[in-house]
Amino acid sequence: MERDFDGLKPSAQMDPLQSSPFMRACRREPTSYTPIWLMRQAGRYMPEYRSLRERVPFLDLCKRSELAAEVTVMAVKRLGVDAAIIFADLLLIVEPLGFALEYTKGDGPVIHHPIRTGRDVERVRELSTVEPLDYVFRAVELARRALPNHIPLIGFAGAPFTLASYLIEGGASRNFIHTKTLMRTDHGAWHELMSRLARALARYLNAQIKAGAQAVQLFDSWVGALGPDDYRRYVLPHTRAVIEQITPGTPVIHFGTGTAGLLEALSEAGGDVIGIDWRIRLDQAWPRIGERAIMGNLDPTTLFADLALVRQEAGAILDQAQGRAGHIFNLGHGILPQTPMQNVIALVEAVHEISSSRPRDIGTRMSAPE
Ligand code: CP3
């Protein structure tokens, strides 16, 4: 689906949030430099975050809205990025869906009594109200208030497949055996599960928008585990259903990893911006996603090398984008916890500096003066 931004009023175009480089890039309007933000920009690589976490367990940090907002804003100030992402987690929504969630040290998230049979799907509650997640919306409100007025705030949720994989596997997985088996052997239960998740996710994202998010990202982090035929059959209609329900005028970033074989199908599901990882060249991905903006795609491990290399690799991605309107720089996946902070800051500076000094799209799509 093509989502239309031409309805933005002239007043909206003067709004510092709507005219920020990030929002302009989402709409494929030209910008004087390439905007950048980083997945997991608030996290353990940051000394301030680690010291906060010594006192506060992760789930508590998510649920204490003042702290979550503070962490959100802190990352932006420390890095100089062009957008904030609300500090939360993809799995918070499983609690109101009826599942017990725990973050164990070392093992990552655990979902107790996961879905294993078609009958288990009946345990997934309809999220008739998003009230149990009020602490997220409150964090969005507080972060929006505390952020500079030209820094957009991104809300997010997991996409139906990635969320389903956690509910079925009970945690992280390498081969997704339970997920794919349920998907293939009980079509009725699978589509029922995915439909319930899609309805819940759309409500959740729209409530984040209402609370003050300017854009939303759907993380389909593990969808690259599927081939294109399975993606189309079992996932595409449900992701599309989420995206179609998002409040009009709010850009949607549709992100996945390992999607080199799925890009056409993934883009058909929707999204104004398609997020890609480093397993594909950006200039080969872009023609395959249709008339959309693109986000990516530096390998997060590049940040462990020396600064000259970080700069060189960032420059190589900017070369591939050729200054075309609609590129948002990001990593291909989240910042790793051991990443040296100074390299993250240097990356942001390098992208700003290199992109502003090279030729840029002068913008055939630039709106005519009123
Ligand atoms: O990007 C940001 O800065 C916003 C915050 C954010 C977190 N999780 C905080 C977090 C976002 C956008 C997420 C998304 C998320 N959560 C995803 C999709 C992103 C991706 O990586 O593809 C997934 C799969 C999850 C589920 C999750 N949460 C896992 C698998 C883990 C454990 C792995 C890990 O990195 O520890 C978490 C925990 C988590 N979520 C942490 C943070 C900062 C680390 C918790 C800690 O402080 O110990």
Side-chain angles (χ1 to χ4, degrees):
M1 183 184 57
E2 278 279 323
R3 290 158 51 89
D4 195 359
F5 297 109
D6 296 342
L8 276 183
K9 299 193 182 68
S11 59
Q13 290 169 12
M14 299 303 292
D15 174 344
L17 277 174
Q18 290 300 332
S19 57
S20 64
F22 170 83
M23 293 302 286
R24 292 183 59 90
C26 287
R27 300 190 300 258
R28 287 184 298 132
E29 296 166 5
T31 56
S32 56
Y33 61 88
T34 303
I36 172 173
W37 70 278
L38 304 166
M39 290 182 273
R40 292 281 176 101
Q41 63 193 22
R44 282 164 299 182
Y45 77 98
M46 204 176 259
E48 297 90 332
Y49 178 84
R50 288 197 300 271
S51 72
L52 189 58
R53 279 281 283 104
E54 280 170 21
R55 295 185 282 117
V56 189
F58 175 64
L59 211 43
D60 291 6
L61 189 49
C62 293
K63 292 184 177 180
R64 290 170 62 179
S65 310
E66 291 79 11
L67 286 180
E70 193 182 312
V71 171
T72 304
V73 177
M74 179 177 77
V76 172
K77 298 218 158 130
R78 286 290 267 134
L79 301 179
V81 286
D82 298 288
I85 181 160
I86 192 63
F87 187 83
D89 195 74
L90 188 130
L91 297 175
L92 299 174
I93 197 169
V94 307
E95 289 185 326
L97 291 175
F99 293 79
L101 172 66
E102 192 187 353
Y103 291 85
T104 56
K105 211 164 173 63
D107 294 332
V110 177
I111 293 165
H112 298 282
H113 309 291
I115 296 169
R116 284 294 155 84
T117 67
R119 253 190 310 147
D120 290 334
V121 170
E122 292 308 316
R123 287 199 275 121
V124 180
R125 278 192 221 135
E126 192 70 37
L127 199 70
S128 51
T129 159
V130 288
E131 209 177 310
L133 294 160
D134 270 351
Y135 61 88
V136 176
F137 315 132
R138 177 87 186 125
V140 169
E141 259 172 53
L142 292 172
R144 182 59 276 159
R145 229 180 280 166
L147 283 164
N149 70 357
H150 63 283
I151 300 289
L153 176 59
I154 303 167
F156 76 91
F161 176 78
T162 291
L163 186 58
S165 81
Y166 280 99
L167 286 170
I168 297 169
E169 305 292 335
S173 174
R174 183 179 285 269
N175 295 313
F176 302 96
I177 294 172
H178 298 295
T179 307
K180 291 186 181 183
T181 303
L182 182 71
M183 176 180 98
R184 294 196 178 103
T185 58
D186 194 338
H187 294 167
W190 174 260
H191 287 295
E192 178 59 30
L193 169 63
M194 293 289 276
S195 308
R196 287 188 194 196
L197 296 182
R199 286 194 291 275
L201 291 165
R203 288 192 185 117
Y204 179 45
L205 288 168
N206 284 332
Q208 293 182 52
I209 293 166
K210 192 165 163 234
Q214 280 66 52
V216 291
Q217 175 156 330
L218 267 181
F219 282 88
D220 217 348
S221 305
W222 312 134
V223 77
L226 296 176
D229 295 340
D230 283 340
Y231 180 83
R232 283 182 193 280
R233 203 173 313 148
Y234 299 116
V235 177
L236 191 154
H238 303 290
T239 300
R240 175 182 278 156
V242 177
I243 295 173
E244 281 181 352
Q245 290 175 69
I246 299 303
T247 310
T250 307
V252 175
I253 306 170
H254 185 184
F255 166 78
T257 72
T259 56
L262 300 176
L263 280 177
E264 291 81 4
L266 190 100
S267 308
E268 268 175 53
D272 305 290
V273 184
I274 303 296
I276 58 164
D277 75 7
W278 62 92
R279 295 170 181 94
I280 182 168
R281 283 178 59 93
L282 186 131
D283 59 359
Q284 287 180 357
W286 210 340
R288 292 176 51 197
I289 64 173
E291 298 288 300
R292 293 183 165 83
I294 196 160
M295 182 178 88
N297 68 339
L298 187 70
D299 182 337
T301 59
T302 309
L303 293 170
F304 291 83
D306 58 79
L307 282 183
L309 195 103
V310 170
R311 230 185 127 77
Q312 186 186 321
E313 296 291 317
I317 289 169
L318 292 168
D319 280 344
Q320 292 174 50
Q322 294 184 308
R324 272 177 68 194
H327 177 215
I328 297 165
F329 201 103
N330 206 317
L331 304 176
H333 207 170
I335 302 181
L336 297 162
Q338 308 85 349
T339 307
M341 173 98 176
Q342 71 275 17
N343 284 6
V344 182
I345 295 172
L347 170 67
V348 175
E349 286 172 359
V351 167
H352 284 161
E353 187 200 311
I354 298 170
S355 64
S356 56
S357 66
R358 288 192 187 163
R360 302 191 62 73
D361 192 335
I362 44 154
T364 45
R365 283 178 58 92
M366 180 98 87
S367 48
E370 297 287 325

